[in-house]
Amino acid sequence: MTPLEILASLGATDDTEFYTPMPPGYKPGKTKYVVVFGTVMSGLGKGILAASLAKLLKDKGLTVAPIKLEGYLNLDSGTLNPFRHGEVFVLDDGIECDMDLGTYERMLDQDLSRLNFSTSGQIFSRVLEKERKGSYLGRDVQMIPHVTGEVKARLRELAVASDADVVFVEIGGTVGDVENAYLIEAARQLAYEEGFNSTCFVALTYILEPAALGEQKSKAAQLGIRSLLERGVQPHILACRARHPVSRKVREKLALYSSVPMDRVFSMHDCESIYLIPEMLRGAGLDTAVIDILQLGDRVHSELEGRAHQAWLDYVHRLRSADRTITIGITGKYTSVRDSYASVIKAFEHAGAHAGAKVEIDWIDTADITSGNVAERLAHCHGILTPGGFGARGAEGKITCIRHAREAGVPFLGICYGFQMAVIEFARHVCRLDGANSTEIDHETPHPVIDILPEQKQIEGLGGNMRLGGRDVQLKPGTLAAQIFNHAPEVRMRFRHRWEVEPRYIETLERAGLIFSGKAPDFPIMQILELPTNAHPFFIATQAHAEMTSRPLRPDPLYVGLVRAALARLSQSLSDAAAGTTATRASG
Ligand code: GLN
């Protein structure tokens, strides 16, 4: 009898020490598991490794489902400060989660849901709810087996819902943390219960290269892996992050130390773009190692792999071969921390590869932008993006930048807060609604063009909370938005906002020339705005986070639009400069 058969025969009785709730419909053996652990330090790219590996297996025709297990107690990432934790990513079903989920969606070109994201807060509240309901049959509720049992249940629920061949589990934090110790223990138990060839443990580690020594040192990695071994987890694969390709000597040391065969100790050194990592791992044979360990050879469809592989290589090629460089100014608040705009950066990467441009981003802190310095500060930008944000800091500077973009014909894309700022700017300077503002910034504004509309929120059944997740956007025919989205009547976009355009100002704004080209189908919620193309080459904004649905092979059309408009501005300035030189020569 396998451990799972024993468990099945015992059921939920109180005369067993096992506690492993099995979700209905679970088929033992159908789903295999890859678990990625991080050692030495955080921030090494566990998510990127897991996502790349999942992509390689998906390319082979396997169904994959990733899950991130966070150690923190928050129920979701909604209240996390992006300045500390990186951007809050929103999935279509409205859950606010870690930015790694964005990496998974982009790499896999697959929409995820709350089943793909778990925190200790979620696990513990489930345990406490069950305890109140008496579901533990009079037992004292313990970390093992009850809490670990819920973790395994989460993984198996995902297996059932996704019908995946492989579930990729990313354990948050670093081995040795107090927070994730029970998650590591749950992974160990899972492998035990599922049996041989069911679970592949991958340890991501870090090789130090101290400048003063000029060589790679493996001690920190050895200690990190030892810490994993002490927890009963024997890794099958080691992935070594490092600045440079990891030397054979270092890989030999790690292999000996951790009992991982040499050909399963991989170098995952720095490369230009994370989109080159799948190819690097494939070249090194990491995908076939996982297929062998999990004995998935008979589920591989090699004929599919060639096509997927080629499409990806084409993308990477376009990414590297773009020969024109444009500069986009991002007028934001958290401009010193790039992680807080991770999806925006990625969306530009996708759009740039698509349009044949290398996008250089200039981070512009709007706190010190004034009408006196704005033209000079933005002079080198071929396009401007005002991203999402919260609170008053830097808002006036953003409005000043948007006014400059509108008046000087600089291509502009506003995102969420940037959309709201564009409405305020237009209301103040075109509609002459002096002091127009958002009530998020000024409660006393005489013209609350951006406001919270409780009645609308009630209609949507969201109470006073944020409007979160995927929503349909109805496009107005004949507009720039309709053209950008290829004349689709409706598109689905992701939202995360509380404020919106106050409907009683819509007529005034439209009469003055602003076009609301995207609306919610059933409510007067404005979702895309634009200026007529005869008035401005490219001025568009959306209440949605368009960057969150941008994918390497399916870039977001609004970002592509901005990049194309910026390229046109670049060509124009080059030909103006050439004409200027000719004119100077002619006159000289
Ligand atoms: N602060 C604005 C709101 O809540 C915009 C939010 C955002 O940019 N994500 O509506």
Side-chain angles (χ1 to χ4, degrees):
M1 261 183 157
T2 66
L4 274 191
E5 283 163 350
I6 297 170
L7 283 163
S9 71
L10 289 168
T13 63
D14 56 358
D15 27 284
T16 167
E17 291 304 309
F18 292 118
Y19 174 79
T20 289
M22 281 292 159
Y26 188 70
K27 295 181 230 138
K30 156 73 186 150
T31 301
K32 310 271 184 157
Y33 300 85
V34 172
V35 187
V36 178
F37 307 89
T39 67
V40 179
M41 65 184 195
S42 64
L44 292 180
K46 283 191 299 284
I48 293 169
L49 171 62
S52 303
L53 206 44
K55 175 182 166 42
L56 293 177
L57 265 57
K58 184 176 178 171
D59 286 353
K60 293 178 190 295
L62 298 175
T63 307
V64 298
I67 179 166
K68 171 130 199 205
L69 301 179
E70 286 285 10
Y72 54 67
L73 290 165
N74 310 52
L75 289 175
D76 59 34
S77 309
T79 53
L80 298 185
N81 176 356
F83 193 70
R84 285 178 67 101
H85 302 275
E87 91 183 342
V88 177
F89 197 80
V90 186
L91 300 180
D92 191 79
D93 66 359
I95 186 154
E96 296 172 286
C97 57
D98 183 82
M99 58 188 279
D100 271 341
L101 277 278
T103 307
Y104 289 118
E105 283 204 338
R106 286 186 284 267
M107 202 65 110
L108 300 173
D109 196 1
Q110 189 168 314
D111 278 351
L112 303 176
S113 76
R114 58 191 64 237
L115 284 176
N116 303 93
F117 179 65
S118 173
T119 65
S120 290
Q122 293 176 23
I123 301 284
F124 290 141
S125 50
R126 214 197 245 204
V127 171
L128 296 177
E129 256 168 52
K130 281 194 173 175
E131 187 275 334
R132 286 294 82 186
K133 283 196 212 136
S135 311
Y136 294 110
L137 308 169
R139 281 277 313 264
D140 50 334
V141 184
Q142 297 190 306
M143 290 299 284
I144 301 171
H146 301 105
V147 179
T148 49
E150 290 309 332
V151 177
K152 289 177 284 175
R154 277 297 305 253
L155 303 182
R156 290 183 172 123
E157 281 161 16
L158 176 61
V160 173
S162 61
D163 201 27
D165 293 303
V166 188
V167 162
F168 284 81
V169 186
E170 176 190 346
I171 309 249
T174 308
V175 177
D177 293 347
V178 170
E179 287 83 4
N180 63 16
Y182 81 99
L183 296 171
I184 298 170
E185 168 60 14
R188 188 197 64 74
Q189 292 175 15
L190 179 83
Y192 158 69
E193 290 172 2
E194 296 282 328
F196 290 116
N197 310 116
S198 67
T199 310
C200 170
F201 290 140
V202 181
L204 180 62
T205 193
Y206 185 58
I207 306 301
L208 297 167
E209 304 183 69
L213 296 181
E215 63 171 317
Q216 296 182 320
K217 303 298 279 179
S218 64
K219 184 61 78 189
Q222 290 177 30
L223 295 176
I225 295 160
R226 173 190 281 174
S227 184
L228 191 59
L229 291 166
E230 279 165 3
R231 285 161 174 76
V233 174
Q234 165 65 55
H236 300 91
I237 289 175
L238 300 185
C240 307
R241 289 283 294 115
R243 254 192 87 198
H244 301 104
V246 178
S247 70
R248 185 168 177 93
K249 183 177 140 198
V250 164
R251 287 190 296 121
E252 278 177 0
K253 269 196 192 172
L254 290 176
L256 178 63
Y257 203 87
S258 59
S259 315
V260 175
M262 259 308 270
D263 59 354
R264 290 184 178 164
V265 182
F266 294 90
S267 173
M268 197 177 142
H269 43 276
D270 287 355
C271 60
E272 213 178 298
S273 157
I274 69 159
Y275 297 130
L276 300 174
I277 293 175
E279 207 32 46
M280 178 163 104
L281 300 180
R282 211 178 85 100
L286 191 56
D287 54 344
T288 42
V290 174
I291 295 282
D292 287 349
I293 292 161
L294 297 177
Q295 297 194 341
L296 283 169
D298 56 346
R299 300 196 208 173
V300 166
H301 295 278
S302 318
E303 70 289 357
L304 296 176
E305 194 178 7
R307 211 178 323 136
H309 185 210
Q310 196 52 50
W312 194 257
L313 285 183
D314 289 347
Y315 169 72
V316 171
H317 175 72
R318 284 199 302 275
L319 194 65
R320 296 173 113 179
S321 60
D323 51 356
R324 289 169 302 168
T325 303
I326 49 162
T327 303
I328 301 287
I330 299 189
T331 59
K333 187 163 91 168
Y334 301 128
T335 46
S336 54
V337 178
R338 310 276 149 108
D339 267 5
S340 48
Y341 295 120
S343 294
V344 171
I345 296 171
K346 286 293 157 209
F348 275 124
E349 208 173 287
H350 310 154
H354 196 74
K358 191 171 167 335
V359 181
E360 219 133 71
I361 291 176
D362 191 13
W363 301 93
I364 294 160
D365 191 343
T366 50
D368 53 3
I369 292 271
T370 63
S371 55
N373 65 16
V374 66
E376 181 211 323
R377 296 286 297 277
L378 300 180
H380 60 294
C381 296
H382 305 104
I384 290 167
L385 177 122
T386 303
F390 293 83
R393 193 181 158 265
E396 286 304 319
K398 287 180 190 173
I399 294 169
T400 308
C401 290
I402 296 171
R403 180 178 196 175
H404 173 77
R406 183 177 57 78
E407 292 179 344
V410 186
F412 167 76
L413 174 61
I415 297 290
C416 202
Y417 204 46
F419 165 94
Q420 298 172 358
M421 296 296 113
V423 171
I424 296 169
E425 191 281 316
F426 194 85
R428 283 188 195 171
H429 306 123
V430 181
C431 305
R432 301 270 157 227
L433 298 173
D434 289 346
N437 217 331
S438 162
T439 52
E440 180 176 1
I441 300 169
D442 177 9
H443 283 294
E444 311 287 305
T445 168
H447 299 293
V449 288
I450 304 294
D451 203 356
I452 293 193
L453 302 173
E455 48 313 343
Q456 235 157 249
K457 293 282 145 46
Q458 267 160 19
I459 304 172
E460 279 221 64
L462 287 170
N465 292 326
M466 284 220 189
R467 183 164 178 264
L468 285 168
R471 295 284 191 288
D472 293 332
V473 177
Q474 216 167 48
L475 299 173
K476 190 171 180 172
T479 58
L480 176 61
Q483 189 194 322
I484 284 176
F485 286 102
N486 215 4
H487 307 285
E490 262 182 28
V491 287
R492 193 155 179 90
M493 302 182 85
R494 293 241 178 116
F495 292 83
R496 180 172 187 251
H497 66 117
R498 197 171 278 129
W499 277 264
E500 60 196 73
V501 179
E502 158 65 78
R504 73 190 149 96
Y505 287 101
I506 291 173
E507 209 194 314
T508 312
L509 293 161
E510 285 191 323
R511 239 189 296 115
L514 196 66
I515 300 167
F516 286 110
S517 46
K519 301 179 186 180
D522 303 316
F523 308 100
I525 304 179
M526 302 301 108
Q527 321 210 91
I528 303 178
L529 67 75
E530 63 189 69
L531 288 178
T533 41
N534 57 11
H536 193 289
F538 189 88
F539 189 100
I540 196 160
T542 174
Q543 185 66 80
H545 285 281
E547 63 279 0
M548 290 192 186
T549 37
S550 180
R551 309 270 166 87
L553 304 184
R554 286 189 298 130
D556 171 71
L558 293 167
Y559 279 79
V560 174
L562 178 65
V563 169
R564 290 220 167 104
L567 276 172
R569 191 171 170 86
L570 170 72
S571 309
Q572 184 62 47
S573 63
L574 291 178
S575 59
D576 287 353
T581 321
T582 323
T584 320
R585 263 202 227 115
S587 66

